[in-house]
Amino acid sequence: MKTTRPLILVSNDDSIKAPGVHVLIDRLLQFGDVIAVCPDEPRSGQSMAITVNAPLHVHRHDDYNGAKMYSVSGTPVDCVKLAMHHILPRTPDLVVAGINHGSNAAVNVLYSGTMGATMEGCEFGIPSIGFSLTDHAMDADFTPCLKAIDILVPAMLKHGLPMDVCLNVNVPNIKEAPAEMRLCTPCRGRWNDEYKEYRDPHGNPFYWLTGQYENLEPDNEQTDEWALAHGFISVVPVAIDRSATEALQVDWLPQVCEDYNNSRFARSES
């Protein structure tokens, strides 16, 4: 009796041409059938953006080692949406994004197109995971990521994840497989001096994204940045529900709502 292999959807934000996605596909083929749907050009920093003011075009590429390859003229989230609605033959068993060229730890998860694709898979109710290597170079060596993929992917296919939760996995740029993988919290931090001002030949100012990350808790051993700085893989569960339910307990919020309601009723009575 023929057994259907798991179907794995792969996407990224570095484009269909990026070496990282090809390394990822090579590793995933041992676990199931792979279909890759990626942006046609780099779309880093797109988070969960979608294209609303332009048509989207899908291009079928030659298969890569048995994986079907498609590119989309849109964002990583566009890729996942189009895959789910128009490209895949059935609902995938797993969505895997990456391997990203560069870290998506800490606050970077908010900006990451890789994690945007991951969270979109999660939004569809599919176990989803994003992999990143802390090396932005296009010729990066992804060997340190391979063991993490081999461990996490079959576990996710077997056990799944809680509803509305996906995984953000970051791997340090070291020469060999990291000695440890740690379940972490995202480090508190922020980007400073984010834009540098230049002048064009006519003297008009323009700005180029730059910046430096400020770690606000460098000694917290529970965070992803601490783990990466010490040569460990960080695994951070990410919830797509960003509601701050604890803020319901803020003393003045209920009172403000009550004041509004009372003023509304007062106006209607007058």
Side-chain angles (χ1 to χ4, degrees), residues 27-261:
R27 212 64 183 182
L28 292 176
L29 285 168
Q30 63 184 309
F31 303 115
D33 296 330
V34 176
I35 298 179
V37 185
C38 302
D40 57 356
E41 298 293 341
R43 299 288 196 280
S44 295
Q46 294 291 294
S47 186
M48 295 195 73
I50 56 175
T51 301
V52 297
N53 58 358
L56 292 173
H57 300 278
V58 178
H59 179 70
R60 177 76 156 90
H61 296 259
D62 292 338
D63 289 359
Y64 171 73
N65 289 349
K68 295 181 180 178
M69 307 288 284
Y70 298 84
S71 65
V72 174
S73 60
T75 69
V77 170
D78 290 331
C79 292
V80 175
K81 286 182 176 294
L82 277 170
M84 293 297 299
H85 291 297
H86 294 285
I87 296 174
L88 299 180
R90 59 182 174 88
T91 301
D93 299 281
L94 189 66
V95 173
V96 186
I99 303 170
N100 189 65
H101 293 250
S103 172
N104 280 318
V107 72
N108 293 318
V109 69
L110 298 176
Y111 307 109
S112 166
T114 298
M115 288 308 298
T118 305
M119 287 187 277
E120 185 64 22
C122 184
E123 176 70 19
F124 275 101
I126 302 163
S128 301
I129 183 170
F131 288 99
S132 302
L133 177 72
T134 60
D135 184 350
H136 287 87
M138 280 297 106
D139 61 350
D141 181 3
F142 292 94
T143 302
C145 302
L146 301 183
K147 185 176 180 180
I149 296 170
D150 290 347
I151 293 292
L152 285 165
V153 167
M156 288 187 63
L157 286 169
K158 181 177 180 180
H159 302 291
L161 286 170
M163 184 63 67
D164 296 337
V165 173
C166 56
L167 295 182
N168 179 20
V169 180
N170 283 272
V171 180
N173 180 29
I174 58 179
K175 292 184 179 180
E176 55 191 25
E180 293 186 26
M181 176 187 291
R182 291 195 171 194
L183 194 61
C184 300
T185 58
C187 178
R188 291 180 60 249
R190 57 174 170 253
W191 286 95
N192 295 324
D193 302 321
E194 291 191 80
Y195 293 91
K196 187 171 182 179
E197 181 176 320
Y198 298 88
R199 297 278 169 172
D200 67 19
H202 303 286
N204 300 312
F206 67 93
Y207 303 88
W208 201 271
L209 182 66
T210 175
Q212 184 171 353
Y213 180 73
E214 180 184 1
N215 187 334
L216 297 180
E217 43 182 350
D219 299 323
N220 186 345
E221 298 183 11
Q222 304 303 313
T223 68
D224 50 8
E225 289 287 359
W226 189 95
L228 292 167
H230 289 78
F232 305 144
I233 297 169
S234 67
V235 180
V236 176
V238 176
I240 61 173
D241 179 2
R242 299 181 184 178
S243 302
T245 53
E246 64 275 9
L248 295 173
Q249 307 305 316
V250 174
D251 292 342
W252 58 268
L253 275 175
Q255 186 59 54
V256 167
C257 293
E258 185 65 22
D259 291 345
Y260 174 86
N261 295 339

